[in-house]
Amino acid sequence: MTHAAPAPEEQEFWLFIQNEPLPVAEELQKNMFRLDACFRLNLSGAPEHAPEHVLEGEYLDEEGESQLDVFWVMETDDARQAFKRDRAALQQIGSRTKMLRFILEDECALGHVFAMIHAILEHRDGLLVIPDGQGNIILERKQALDFLNREIREGIAED
């Protein structure tokens, strides 16, 4: 699976799901909060309609007070167009033709991005791809949920 590489200072995660509307922000927030009560998503409505594809969140302290604002980009592409020259990738993607590209310029947003991807995968079948300089790490839905849950829990343990 090949695609334009992110800038070296940016980290990307690709999520392939069926071409249906995403859960609304309130539903995503509820699932994200269940994973970690420190995650707040500052969005209402559909994430696909966020102005300029920029999503915003906050890290909350134990009292629920905002401690840090975080931002990331979520772009939506048609996977059939993005990978039209890569037959193997198209075969693996299958009917999951909506490609969500989560782009981080700031590592502080990683927990929010992982929690948001996890929340989407709780509602949709999906394929998570983690672009890597050595190739791509590809995780089917169950593997992706396990990976994201473990990463979020380990992040909590480090705090």
Side-chain angles (χ1 to χ4, degrees):
M1 194 176 280
T2 57
H3 197 273
E9 66 277 357
E10 296 177 343
Q11 187 172 8
E12 283 193 21
F13 300 93
W14 305 337
L15 183 62
F16 296 89
I17 58 175
Q18 290 185 336
N19 193 14
E20 299 172 5
L22 291 174
V24 294
E26 295 77 15
E27 200 172 344
L28 292 172
Q29 174 62 64
K30 183 176 69 174
N31 291 342
M32 290 170 67
F33 198 72
R34 192 177 69 247
L35 287 167
D36 186 336
C38 293
F39 295 146
R40 177 184 292 158
L41 181 60
N42 294 336
L43 177 72
S44 62
E48 299 103 322
H49 304 300
E52 300 190 27
H53 309 287
V54 176
L55 299 176
E56 179 183 350
E58 297 175 271
Y59 279 102
L60 306 176
D61 64 15
E62 295 80 26
E63 287 82 40
E65 297 295 320
S66 178
Q67 296 300 306
L68 177 68
D69 292 336
V70 294
F71 302 89
W72 65 97
V73 173
M74 186 189 82
E75 296 177 348
T76 304
D77 292 320
D78 181 336
R80 295 169 296 198
Q81 292 302 312
F83 294 94
K84 63 184 170 190
R85 291 186 171 83
D86 189 340
R87 290 193 189 282
L90 289 173
Q91 190 171 23
Q92 192 165 21
I93 292 166
S95 64
R96 299 170 285 207
T97 60
K98 181 184 268 188
M99 177 183 178
L100 304 176
R101 292 177 63 214
F102 294 88
I103 304 166
L104 292 122
E105 294 178 9
D106 180 1
E107 269 190 48
C108 292
L110 184 61
H112 279 72
V113 168
F114 279 1
M116 185 173 189
I117 293 171
H118 192 284
I120 293 168
L121 286 172
E122 286 182 359
H123 296 276
R124 307 275 188 281
D125 178 37
L127 180 73
L128 176 62
V129 177
I130 305 169
D132 184 306
Q134 315 288 310
N136 294 322
I137 299 165
I138 301 170
L139 303 171
E140 290 288 342
R141 180 176 184 260
K142 179 164 179 11
Q143 295 171 306
L145 285 167
D146 290 345
F147 165 78
L148 295 166
N149 194 41
R150 185 174 54 252
E151 290 295 313
I152 291 166
R153 297 287 169 221
E154 286 176 8
I156 293 169
E158 290 175 6
D159 293 340

